[in-house]
Amino acid sequence: MSGLHGTLFSSLKKRQMHILSCVTFRRSQWNPDIAVHEGQVVSAQELTALLQPLFTQNSRNLVLFLQDRLSIDDFTYFSESYGNKNPFQNVQEILQSSPSSLVLPAVDCKATSYLLNVLQESGDWKLTNVTNLNVSQLEVNASNPNLLVVQLQPLASDLKDISTLEAIAENDKIIGRVTMDLQERGIHFSVIYTAVRPSRNSRRTDVVAELRRQLMAAEEEESSSYPPLNVTTGNYTCILFHASNFSLKANSSVLIDLTNATFLTQNVDISASECSDSNTTLSLKYTNPVNGISSLEIRFLMTNKFYEVSARGWSTLHLVEIVQDGEKLAKFNVSGISAPAEYSFHCQLVGTSNLYPARLVPSNNEAKNWDVFISKLQIQGFNIINNQFSYASDCTGFFTPGIWMGLVTSIILLWILTYGIHMIMQLTTNSRFDDPKGPALSVPQTE
């Protein structure tokens, strides 16, 4: 592969610094002043410094293959040593045939978004989101810097490992096909293969209780590693939307992961969104999200009303609509998504499943063909101050099922204790006793 520089790094949580792996560095063009060792989590600034040779060379064409989740352990877990067919065949061929390569065992979750922002702010890089995976139709001007972002298909987390293995192998074929197309066109380019979040969370067995609390705090930090999507009207923000996972499934077979396109690369059109004091509509339009769907629009319709009973205004998400290819309209009534107008709304799980605390209920036949899954949803459509979420009203009430079970059990035990004490208090002792030296004691039946 003449002129191909392969760069490979895996995404991992910011404070997970105990990943162990044998990594070989061939540093013919990388900055030797920045030392990288096993277990180190490379920060966003360090990554930009490491990749600086790619930004200063004569031929600046960068291809970013972005997956939803990936860890360095995946290259061992899904390797041939475990009896599986190697799903990273093309990736390994690129590394072996490249004149220069770099493998990083752990990278900060914010590094990818930070790198994209740096390249976009520099002004001379042309950003192109590759959706149809047919690079031969792209117009790549080799005289100017080009950044091609290829969204790989997500790895289905609710399926078995064999399905994950097949998804990784399919993504590997996509990487091989795209790089081969660029090679055949005689374009010199560099490759980055990474992900938004890790696929595995390693834990040390000797971590003390204090460190466990820190790891939990790191997990919360990782879930909000990218900023929320905001819709502005004039000089102020009128809608904020954030989720750690935003996925759809069409006809129970086609999985559409919109998390990266919505929050990371923001390859979404929000121009049709509308804001007012009483009604707000968040419109998310995607072009070619997956093969077979040319356009997809998702609308969140919110209202703000004043209720005399509570003497305050309440914002409610009452309807969600999905429009496929501009024709097929699916409507969902929303249950359980409301908050005081001054607050934002947060819920751990939102979707079409009956098990979720906030549900999307299909209201027409077309909606029955869709499954929606939103994890850690936070949305606000009114009274946004300083472009930040207000205090969040959570969908989980105070009396959870566990609390109710504890209360009922406590009441039953308390009733048994009360009844037992009452029965003990009803016991009486004899007021007269038999004297063996005297006549026998005669107790009348009335007593």
Side-chain angles (χ1 to χ4, degrees):
M1 291 187 177
S2 175
L4 175 63
H5 304 290
T7 302
L8 173 67
F9 60 93
S10 61
S11 176
L12 202 62
K13 290 188 177 180
K14 184 176 181 179
R15 297 185 184 178
Q16 301 249 351
M17 303 183 66
H18 48 273
I19 295 296
L20 299 178
S21 60
C22 295
V23 183
T24 302
F25 299 92
R26 296 191 297 274
R27 321 192 95 195
S28 59
Q29 69 169 355
W30 312 109
N31 188 354
D33 297 331
I34 303 178
V36 180
H37 54 80
E38 294 181 16
Q40 176 184 355
V41 179
V42 179
S43 65
Q45 293 78 9
E46 290 175 339
L47 177 65
T48 305
L50 278 170
L51 301 181
Q52 194 63 34
L54 301 180
F55 311 148
T56 56
Q57 60 186 359
N58 295 330
S59 178
R60 291 187 291 172
N61 295 303
L62 189 60
V63 183
L64 173 61
F65 292 101
L66 194 58
Q67 202 164 268
D68 61 336
R69 51 191 177 91
L70 180 70
S71 294
I72 196 70
D73 292 340
D74 293 338
F75 296 91
T76 303
Y77 183 78
F78 295 108
S79 65
E80 294 178 336
S81 60
Y82 280 80
N84 301 320
K85 184 178 179 180
N86 185 11
F88 296 101
Q89 182 177 357
N90 289 297
V91 173
Q92 290 185 356
E93 290 181 356
I94 292 175
L95 285 173
Q96 294 173 0
S97 60
S98 300
S100 179
S101 62
L102 176 65
V103 180
L104 303 180
V107 178
D108 194 333
C109 291
K110 300 180 181 179
T112 304
S113 57
Y114 179 82
L115 179 63
L116 291 175
N117 292 334
V118 169
L119 295 180
Q120 288 178 338
E121 291 175 358
S122 63
D124 55 350
W125 285 83
K126 179 183 178 182
L127 175 63
T128 303
N129 290 285
V130 182
T131 55
N132 57 6
L133 302 179
N134 189 358
V135 185
S136 60
Q137 297 180 357
L138 291 176
E139 295 182 0
V140 180
N141 187 358
S143 60
N144 297 324
N146 294 280
L147 174 60
L148 306 179
V149 179
V150 181
Q151 297 281 349
L152 300 175
Q153 66 174 354
L155 310 182
S157 58
D158 56 344
L159 301 178
K160 296 182 179 179
D161 284 340
I162 185 63
S163 298
T164 303
L165 178 65
E166 293 175 353
I168 293 177
E170 185 63 28
N171 288 341
D172 182 73
K173 293 179 182 177
I174 294 174
I175 294 175
R177 185 165 63 249
V178 172
T179 54
M180 187 61 66
D181 287 344
L182 292 174
Q183 274 188 279
E184 293 177 351
R185 298 174 63 179
I187 299 175
H188 295 268
F189 61 93
S190 302
V191 174
I192 296 178
Y193 178 35
T194 185
V196 179
R197 58 184 183 274
S199 59
R200 283 176 176 78
N201 302 328
S202 300
R203 290 286 189 268
R204 289 181 56 183
T205 58
D206 58 345
V207 177
V208 295
E210 290 79 5
L211 291 181
R212 290 179 184 175
R213 289 194 291 269
Q214 295 178 6
L215 290 175
M216 292 175 64
E219 291 177 2
E220 294 296 329
E221 180 181 353
E222 183 272 337
S223 65
S224 58
S225 58
Y226 41 77
L229 181 70
N230 63 80
V231 178
T232 58
T233 300
N235 295 326
Y236 70 95
T237 301
C238 61
I239 302 176
L240 287 174
F241 175 65
H242 185 271
S244 63
N245 193 330
F246 183 26
S247 304
L248 309 175
K249 184 177 287 187
N251 299 319
S252 300
S253 59
V254 182
L255 181 63
I256 309 173
D257 192 339
L258 303 175
T259 309
N260 297 342
T262 305
F263 304 107
L264 187 61
T265 61
Q266 294 192 355
N267 186 24
V268 56
D269 182 11
I270 58 175
S271 59
S273 301
E274 299 177 354
C275 299
S276 68
D277 295 335
S278 58
N279 295 280
T280 296
T281 301
L282 172 61
S283 174
L284 307 175
K285 293 182 179 180
Y286 305 90
T287 303
N288 296 322
V290 293
N291 293 332
I293 299 180
S294 60
S295 65
L296 187 68
E297 181 182 4
I298 303 174
R299 306 191 194 112
F300 297 85
L301 286 76
M302 294 172 283
T303 59
N304 182 17
K305 293 183 180 180
F306 181 83
Y307 293 89
E308 296 181 355
V309 176
S310 60
R312 70 185 311 169
W314 286 78
S315 62
T316 304
L317 175 61
H318 63 90
L319 189 65
V320 174
E321 298 178 344
I322 301 177
V323 183
Q324 177 185 346
D325 299 329
E327 299 176 353
K328 301 178 182 180
L329 174 62
K331 290 186 177 182
F332 298 87
N333 293 325
V334 183
S335 172
I337 298 184
S338 62
E342 299 83 8
Y343 294 173
S344 63
F345 176 83
H346 176 270
C347 195
Q348 191 74 11
L349 293 174
V350 177
T352 52
S353 174
N354 296 330
L355 303 177
Y356 298 160
R359 286 196 59 207
L360 304 183
V361 183
S363 61
N364 62 357
N365 293 330
E366 188 63 32
K368 297 178 181 179
N369 299 326
W370 291 91
D371 294 324
V372 182
F373 173 75
I374 307 176
S375 174
K376 296 183 181 179
L377 167 71
Q378 188 168 5
I379 189 170
Q380 184 173 357
F382 306 95
N383 302 315
I384 298 175
I385 301 175
N386 296 328
N387 299 330
Q388 295 180 350
F389 280 114
S390 303
Y391 177 83
S393 175
D394 202 273
C395 62
T396 302
F398 178 76
F399 289 98
T400 62
I403 294 178
W404 278 115
M405 291 181 63
L407 286 176
V408 171
T409 304
S410 300
I411 291 174
I412 294 175
L413 293 176
L414 182 61
W415 180 83
I416 294 175
L417 178 62
T418 305
Y419 179 76
I421 294 175
H422 173 72
M423 294 303 293
I424 292 175
M425 294 178 64
Q426 296 301 315
L427 295 176
T428 59
T429 59
N430 294 332
S431 60
R432 289 175 291 178
F433 297 92
D434 194 5
D435 186 1
K437 297 181 180 180
L441 181 64
S442 177
V443 180
Q445 300 235 345
T446 56
E447 297 184 12

